[in-house]
Amino acid sequence: MSVDITYSGATVGSERVADEWERIEVAFGPERVERLEDSGLDIGWDDESLTLSMPAGQDKATDKLFGKLADTVAVELGRAFDWDVDDA
Amino acid sequence: MFDVVHGDGRFVSLRRSSRENERWNVEIGDGATTGMVVDRLAVEWVRAEDGSVSFGQHGLIFTLVALWRGYKGPSMNWLKWLLHPPETEVIDFSGGELPEPDPAAEAEYERMLAEFAAAGAPLDGHPAERIQANPDPYAPLLVDWLERSEHHKHWILQLLAVVPDPPGLTEALLREFGRFELPEHWRWSVGNALHDLNRTDLAPRLLPLATDPRQGMAAQMALIALGRARYAPALEPLIERLDDPELEGHAAEALRKLGDPAALPALEAMAPRSEFGRTARQRAIRALRR
């Protein structure tokens, strides 16, 4: 089982999403993203959305780090594309 | 929705259609309604008298149990997600889709229970909790049964996950990964377990197993393990797999983790066929250009 958080909004093209994710990753810290990936974080995007998916059952430190990443992505994608977290 | 990867009457292995890497292994209990809570999340399922099973996640009661069991929200997003979960996903198995218990599987299960009980390591009740409390008597038997079992390998692998560093597990997993006569979905789980060991020293032994053409999509997580280990000899085999529709995304991910810019031309020339392949390619190209 996993927690999936999807950010979406207007179509901007996957290259722009990739650019923005790269910026977020560098700012957040590639080593911290890698630590989350080692715990199973999956990152995916298309022309109009980006999804973070994290397997359940993580330790508290990983939960906290994932929460920080999720909040950072929400702020940055909101700023860059006016995207928001999907309610569904 | 979920695909049924495997079902034998006692265990059902599910994979969400949208997520090729994610499998849920669920034990179907004898009761009419049962469920499990894993940290914050919950699944529930109902087995009707006709043998059909309906399966859902994020039921309100189970979510409340999850809260009671210690949810401490690190993020408003998670809290929002938890309190307003996605629409419950339900899968209905007709009697035909979920076979009746296989007598051979049942017999093996009984043999396993008896053997564990004789060794002072009972498996009945809540085995994961028992094992967590006292892993030593369980570890050698579980490792042994991982290879011996014909019907309950997934369950044994799940139980081994709560044993800290079981002696002999790595070797057993490597042997299982090379048993190409076993189902692909089982070898995928073994490759995933080898990935989770996060042992860079295994890379020289993992490479020939992961790149054997008989491995098929079961190689996915092992390829990523090779990249994470930064095992330089994996460069060319990973580049070759960028053309494989079942492995392209994992190969691209592995090349990003490997970190060798020599992969850039191949990644730039890659024509991904899957969403994951496209994302992994974009990430890898950007990371290797830095």
Side-chain angles (χ1 to χ4, degrees):
Chain A
M1 286 162 289
S2 63
V3 175
D4 298 342
I5 302 175
T6 297
Y7 310 85
S8 64
T11 301
V12 297
S14 73
E15 287 293 336
R16 284 188 66 197
V17 183
D19 288 341
E20 195 56 35
W21 168 257
E22 185 187 13
R23 229 180 46 71
I24 292 169
E25 186 175 7
V26 169
F28 189 75
E31 69 292 336
R32 293 208 293 173
V33 174
E34 193 171 345
R35 204 185 319 154
L36 289 170
E37 286 188 291
D38 286 347
S39 299
L41 172 68
D42 217 9
I43 303 141
W45 58 75
D46 56 21
D47 292 341
E48 58 203 21
S49 69
L50 183 146
T51 298
L52 301 177
S53 178
M54 191 74 188
Q58 304 293 334
D59 60 49
K60 285 180 183 173
T62 305
D63 278 353
K64 193 172 174 183
L65 190 58
F66 179 65
K68 277 184 185 169
L69 176 65
D71 290 343
T72 301
V73 173
V75 170
E76 293 302 317
L77 293 183
R79 183 195 53 73
F81 306 137
D82 200 24
W83 282 6
D84 202 357
V85 179
D86 280 6
D87 284 332
Chain B
M1 280 305 292
F2 294 86
D3 299 325
V4 183
V5 179
H6 170 70
D8 64 9
R10 183 178 295 278
F11 301 97
V12 178
S13 180
L14 304 170
R15 183 171 61 200
R16 265 206 283 194
S17 309
S18 57
R19 303 189 57 76
E20 62 187 22
N21 289 342
E22 185 182 271
R23 289 167 195 271
W24 299 8
N25 295 303
V26 176
E27 181 177 2
I28 303 299
D30 295 328
T33 305
T34 186
M36 65 178 177
V37 176
V38 180
D39 199 7
R40 291 161 303 282
L41 305 185
V43 296
E44 57 184 329
W45 59 93
V46 178
R47 186 171 198 169
E49 284 183 4
D50 64 0
S52 66
V53 174
S54 61
F55 175 91
Q57 65 169 333
H58 318 143
L60 176 61
I61 290 172
F62 285 91
T63 301
L64 291 173
V65 171
L67 280 165
W68 172 70
R69 285 178 62 139
Y71 172 77
K72 292 184 176 59
S75 139
M76 287 305 290
N77 282 327
W78 277 31
L79 192 61
K80 183 180 172 188
W81 183 91
L82 188 71
L83 296 175
H84 300 282
E87 195 174 326
T88 298
E89 298 178 76
V90 174
I91 181 166
D92 290 311
F93 301 97
S94 72
E97 283 175 289
L98 186 65
E100 284 303 304
D102 175 356
E106 291 292 303
E108 183 188 282
Y109 183 68
E110 294 303 326
R111 278 200 312 279
M112 209 160 59
L113 287 186
E115 200 173 305
F116 274 74
L123 276 178
D124 52 327
H126 298 281
E129 289 171 16
R130 288 176 189 266
I131 294 168
Q132 206 158 22
N134 182 24
D136 288 348
Y138 289 92
L141 283 168
L142 287 169
V143 171
D144 184 36
W145 271 94
L146 186 75
E147 293 182 271
R148 280 167 61 196
S149 174
E150 292 179 19
H151 303 279
H152 304 297
K153 286 178 182 289
H154 279 104
W155 184 51
I156 295 166
L157 189 59
Q158 280 183 305
L159 293 178
L160 276 163
V162 299
V163 181
D165 198 18
L169 176 62
T170 303
E171 294 301 321
L173 288 173
L174 286 167
R175 285 192 293 272
E176 287 288 286
F177 201 45
R179 290 179 64 188
F180 299 109
E181 75 277 14
L182 295 176
E184 193 177 66
H185 68 84
W186 165 244
R187 283 181 285 108
W188 188 97
S189 297
V190 174
N192 190 45
L194 285 163
H195 167 272
D196 290 348
L197 290 176
N198 198 8
R199 294 254 312 262
T200 55
D201 60 309
L202 293 183
R205 298 170 69 192
L206 202 52
L207 180 61
L209 290 169
T211 55
D212 188 303
R214 289 172 290 178
Q215 204 63 267
M217 70 173 286
Q220 289 176 342
M221 296 309 290
L223 295 181
I224 291 183
L226 290 168
R228 190 168 66 179
R230 296 181 176 259
Y231 186 54
L235 177 68
E236 284 306 320
L238 288 172
I239 286 173
E240 287 168 18
R241 274 146 192 84
L242 293 175
D243 290 331
D244 186 326
E246 287 187 323
L247 301 175
E248 58 175 19
H250 294 79
E253 278 278 287
L255 287 166
R256 176 173 65 83
K257 289 172 183 290
L258 192 69
D260 187 341
L264 268 172
L267 284 161
E268 284 162 349
M270 175 189 178
R273 280 148 286 197
S274 64
E275 197 68 54
F276 177 47
R278 190 171 65 168
T279 304
R281 173 180 177 271
Q282 288 174 328
R283 285 192 75 194
I285 288 173
R286 281 163 174 75
L288 295 179
R289 279 181 183 158
R290 274 181 216 151

